[in-house]
Amino acid sequence: MFAAFVVVWAATLFVLAVGLQNERVFIYVFLVGGFATSAAFLYTMCYRLRPADEISPSLLVVIALVGGFLGAVLTDFPDALISHTPLNGFLVGPVEEFCKIVVVVIVARWIPVKNARVGLFIGGAIGFGFAAFENTLYAFGTLLSTPLGSDAVLHLTENQGLRAITTMFGHPVWTGILAAAVYAGYRGNRLRITRRIVGSYLMVAALHDLWDFSAPLWTSILRSSSAAFFADQGMLLVIGVVGLLVWWRTSRRANAELMAQPVPIPLD
């Protein structure tokens, strides 16, 4: 599925936008490139749902689109407020993760089953939706800052290519981990703030901050832009792997908790 999106994106960019010089086609490039990774993984997630989760594939897609958009809009307001403060670099992670988890809690009103496994799906869907809109926004900003031409195409390709790869290591993983802790804290329709929720929030906020600090850190240390780029990508890979390992551990714990629950005995 992801390969299919890559082919469509490349054909749209190089055949229509570059070959035929159709500038209006760039809007399709933004959308396909921004949503490629998210759409491919959402497709896979839909086939991993179980009847016991009581989530339909169509509902999961709606949650990704609406929840991701709402999360992106919610983060704009606090991000604008903290962007001019000295603590901006430290607050972005905690603020954005808090805004996304607010959306997770809002969505919980329409989710009949609330446990860590369901939280992984809901958080992952919202994270992928958030990343899709963010990737599209960044691609649009990249093109606006570069005059149309070969440089614009190169920058757009680099931007969307890198973000398509790194998307799977960022927001979906962080939001999934935190949403699993939040949904595990529900008793009926009532949310309890547990140490697991607080610990998960602090961890994903720290991973988010480290991710954002990587590029400025290596740019300030290394004079060579090429060396800084590869050092940045290496650090992002390490952070991403750490997040994936925590996600995998959370997934195993969620399945173990479900297995440990008593099986209801049908009444005659």
Side-chain angles (χ1 to χ4, degrees), residues 42-88:
L42 276 172
Y43 179 85
T44 303
M45 288 171 64
C46 288
Y47 280 93
R48 302 281 293 183
L49 291 169
R50 301 174 184 171
D53 299 324
E54 297 190 29
I55 305 173
S56 65
S58 58
L59 177 60
L60 194 67
V61 172
V62 170
I63 289 172
L65 292 175
V66 178
F69 177 77
L70 182 57
V73 171
L74 283 178
T75 59
D76 276 343
F77 295 102
D79 280 350
L81 293 176
I82 66 176
S83 61
H84 303 293
T85 67
L87 296 177
N88 176 44

Side-chain angles (χ1 to χ4, degrees), residues 92-175:
V92 170
V95 167
E96 289 196 0
E97 296 309 318
F98 180 79
C99 289
K100 285 185 292 179
I101 216 59
V102 166
V103 179
V104 168
V105 173
I106 293 173
V107 169
R109 295 174 59 89
W110 293 274
I111 304 300
V113 176
K114 301 180 185 67
N115 53 42
R117 173 182 162 83
V118 170
L120 285 171
F121 278 96
I122 300 300
I126 292 174
F128 275 120
F130 182 96
F133 286 108
E134 186 180 62
N135 290 350
T136 304
L137 180 64
Y138 274 105
F140 188 66
T142 297
L143 194 63
L144 285 180
S145 62
T146 309
L148 288 177
S150 58
D151 288 342
V153 174
L154 177 62
H155 291 164
L156 179 62
T157 305
E158 290 176 349
N159 179 282
Q160 291 209 308
L162 286 174
R163 296 192 73 86
I165 296 171
T166 57
T167 288
M168 64 189 78
F169 297 103
H171 292 291
V173 173
W174 304 330
T175 313

Side-chain angles (χ1 to χ4, degrees), residues 187-202:
R187 292 299 178 267
N189 287 319
R190 186 173 182 179
L191 174 61
R192 300 176 306 128
I193 305 300
T194 63
R195 287 183 297 178
R196 182 175 175 181
I197 294 176
V198 175
S200 298
Y201 172 71
L202 294 176

